[in-house]
């Protein structure tokens, strides 16, 4: 079975730069707090009306497709990872198919938040390995700026998120050395609610009180959305930051070691680790735990914030564009986030 290689890679960051100081007009925070706790100096926000999660994904995809030396019509499958799709449904994959005038190919959306891109890559990798498809477009994109709580109440979440997109084209490898060596996917739903956006959703937690028991289907149906949800900020992401942090610094090293050990490598063999850009302190902790040098870990959260499913492909693309990844290099992608879900991919460039 052939391995899959990244034949083309692209990224898209919206033009608008939002500094930590720009956020002061909305919430009680400070540049000092944000930099000290997260490493973030600035992030990008998409154009309010002209850009969506899909349009940013499309821009990244165009570059990846061109660099792969093919056209959108050659793509035979799309996997799109995001937690903030343009619509509640349908997903962004079909919108990419439409925007790029592709053939009537399959389009799949992956909802695995911060580890979404690595999960999406793993799905695409299986289709390449089995010979089902030859040119798969994998995208991670987010427009967080439209769905976060800009009041002081939501500051622990809103200061970390940024917008952007990254994309790769996967193809079967033509040699036996290069390609994705293995992918490793994990989850633990025990803490699903500590990093989540509860509404709109079908959990019906609001309507369990006795007073709602007499409501008929139509009345409850109309309560899918309520003023109460908005007033209580339940339409925004919620995060118990310290609890997520504690789990992340255990699971990141674990899943990176798993990938290395599975393929008979050690951290010394690693040319570059591309961790999901959740928090610079998390990346630094992982680096220290694995005893990696500064040159072995790529971080760009300082300039883009946490772009969830887009962070790994944006960082991978930027590192490659800067010449930090060359043919034959061992590269590890790793992510951890909501779910919890965590994942890694080890590849020979
Ligand atoms: O992307 C995938 C998943 N997400 C992550 O991996 C994120 C993991 N967690 C984190 O990165 C960190 O927990 C945060 C950056 C979210 C928060 O940093 P922290 O050092 O864990 O702070 P904390 O939540 O423990 O809050 C410490 C204090 C609190 O004040 P009190 O109670 O000590 O008076 C917060 O209210 O900092 C306050 N605080 C802020 N202050 C200024 C929280 N957010 C802010 C803010 N500006 N933006």
């Amino acid at each position: 079975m052939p391995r899959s290689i990244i034949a083309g890679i692209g990224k898209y960051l919206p033009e608008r730069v939002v500094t930590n100081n720009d956020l002061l007009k909305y919430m009680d925070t400070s540049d000092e707090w944000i930099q000290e706790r997260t490493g973030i100096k600035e992030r990008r926000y998409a154009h309010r009306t002209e850009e969506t999660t899909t349009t940013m994904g499309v821009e990244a995809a165009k570059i990846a497709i061109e660099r792969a030396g093919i056209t959108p019509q050659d793509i035979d499958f799309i996997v799109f990872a995001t937690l903030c799709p343009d619509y509640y449904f349908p997903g962004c994959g079909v919108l990419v198919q439409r925007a790029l005038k592709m053939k009537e190919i399959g389009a799949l959306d992956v909802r695995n938040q911060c580890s979404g891109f690595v999960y999406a890559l793993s799905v695409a990798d299986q289709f390449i390995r089995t010979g089902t498809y030859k040119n798969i477009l994998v995208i991670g994109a987010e427009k967080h700026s439209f769905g976060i709580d800009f009041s002081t109440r939501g500051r622990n979440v809103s200061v970390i998120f940024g917008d952007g997109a990254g994309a790769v084209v996967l193809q079967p490898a033509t040699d036996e050395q290069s390609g994705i060596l293995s992918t490793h996917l994990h989850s633990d739903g025990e803490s699903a609610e500590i990093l989540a956006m509860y509404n709109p959703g079908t959990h019906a937690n609001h309507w369990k009180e006795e007073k709602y028991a007499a409501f008929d289907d139509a009345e409850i149906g109309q309560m899918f959305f309520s003023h109460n949800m908005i007033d209580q900020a339940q339409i925004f992401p919620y995060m118990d930051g310290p609890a997520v942090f504690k789990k992340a610094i255990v699971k990141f090293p674990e899943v990176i070691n798993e990938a290395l050990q599975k393929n008979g490598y050690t951290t010394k063999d690693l040319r570059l680790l591309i961790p999901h850009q959740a928090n610079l302190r998390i990346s630094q902790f992982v680096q220290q735990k694995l005893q990696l040098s500064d040159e072995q870990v790529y971080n760009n959260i300082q300039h883009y914030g946490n772009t969830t499913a887009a962070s790994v492909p944006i960082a991978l693309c930027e590192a490659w564009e800067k010449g930090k990844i060359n043919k034959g290099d061992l590269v590890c992608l790793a992510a951890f986030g909501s779910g919890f879900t965590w994942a890694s991919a080890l590849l020979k460039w």
Side-chain angles (χ1 to χ4, degrees):
M1 285 196 293
R3 287 188 187 136
S4 25
I5 50 155
I6 294 178
I9 184 161
K11 69 179 193 320
Y12 178 80
L13 278 316
E15 261 176 44
R16 187 175 157 211
V17 176
V18 176
T19 65
N20 293 340
N21 283 330
D22 290 336
L23 297 175
L24 302 187
K25 63 173 176 272
Y26 305 115
M27 63 191 82
D28 179 12
T29 187
S30 66
D31 178 44
E32 194 189 6
W33 190 96
I34 300 172
Q35 288 211 46
E36 200 178 289
R37 304 287 180 128
T38 71
I40 299 167
K41 296 175 196 289
E42 58 193 24
R43 74 284 294 140
R44 303 290 180 92
Y45 280 0
H47 188 281
R48 200 171 294 168
T49 54
E50 303 300 313
E51 291 181 321
T52 69
T53 296
T54 298
T55 69
M56 291 189 285
V58 165
E59 291 310 313
K62 282 182 190 164
I63 299 167
I65 289 169
E66 196 188 328
R67 285 176 174 166
I70 58 172
T71 71
Q73 288 66 43
D74 297 316
I75 297 291
D76 42 23
F77 195 62
I78 303 166
V79 193
F80 199 121
T82 186
L83 69 70
C84 38
D86 295 26
Y87 303 123
Y88 191 77
F89 70 82
C92 294
V94 297
L95 303 180
V96 171
Q97 184 275 340
R98 177 173 72 184
L100 290 175
K101 300 185 174 50
M102 291 165 160
K103 291 180 292 192
E104 292 178 351
I105 54 172
L108 172 73
D109 274 50
V110 165
R111 297 193 51 182
N112 280 72
Q113 298 65 249
C114 302
S115 48
F117 181 80
V118 185
Y119 263 75
L121 195 73
S122 176
V123 171
D125 181 43
Q126 313 310 314
F127 279 120
I128 297 281
R129 280 176 189 263
T130 55
T132 309
Y133 299 122
K134 298 263 177 281
N135 292 297
I136 306 185
L137 177 62
V138 185
I139 300 175
E142 308 283 1
K143 185 180 177 182
H144 284 307
S145 57
F146 243 40
I148 44 182
D149 184 356
F150 279 93
S151 72
T152 296
R153 178 181 56 190
R155 64 184 176 174
N156 69 324
V157 171
S158 50
V159 299
I160 70 173
F161 283 143
D163 300 343
V168 299
V169 171
L170 282 198
Q171 288 177 351
T174 48
D175 63 59
E176 287 188 3
Q177 284 74 47
S178 43
I180 297 175
L181 307 182
S182 62
T183 56
H184 306 270
L185 312 179
H186 295 281
S187 73
D188 175 3
E190 195 56 45
S191 307
E193 283 77 18
I194 74 164
L195 175 46
M197 192 174 118
Y198 304 131
N199 289 298
T202 58
H203 54 78
N205 287 344
H206 294 275
W207 324 125
K208 284 179 183 157
E209 288 172 44
E210 192 60 33
K211 63 181 174 183
Y212 296 118
F215 279 47
D216 65 21
D217 293 340
E219 284 166 321
I220 286 289
Q222 284 184 1
M223 295 164 83
F224 186 55
F225 254 130
S226 72
H227 285 290
N228 199 28
M229 284 173 193
I230 296 167
D231 294 343
Q232 291 182 9
Q234 293 188 341
I235 55 157
F236 295 120
Y238 165 81
M239 176 167 73
D240 176 348
V244 177
F245 195 103
K246 278 184 207 139
K247 194 84 172 181
I249 57 174
V250 173
K251 293 301 172 188
F252 262 110
E254 214 175 88
V255 80
I256 294 163
N257 274 328
E258 182 184 355
L260 290 169
Q261 280 161 17
K262 158 94 185 173
N263 295 285
Y265 290 112
T266 72
T267 47
K268 290 192 176 58
D269 301 308
L270 203 53
R271 172 68 192 87
L272 203 60
L273 168 66
I274 310 272
H276 159 55
Q277 303 291 294
N279 182 324
L280 190 60
R281 281 163 55 221
I282 292 179
S283 293
Q284 288 166 340
F285 197 96
V286 173
Q287 175 179 342
Q288 202 180 21
K289 196 153 178 191
L290 295 176
Q291 296 188 314
L292 296 168
S293 68
D294 288 350
E295 288 68 41
Q296 283 177 294
V297 185
Y298 193 77
N299 290 304
N300 61 7
I301 189 169
Q302 299 90 329
H303 301 293
Y304 306 136
N306 177 342
T307 57
T308 314
S311 91
V312 168
I314 290 172
L316 181 65
C317 183
E318 195 171 82
W320 175 76
E321 286 170 349
K322 286 182 175 172
K324 291 182 182 293
I325 304 173
N326 292 294
K327 180 105 184 112
D329 284 345
L330 192 66
V331 178
C332 186
L333 315 179
F336 175 90
S338 164
F340 294 128
T341 62
W342 60 102
S344 64
L346 193 68
L347 43 119
K348 263 269 164 93
W349 199 260

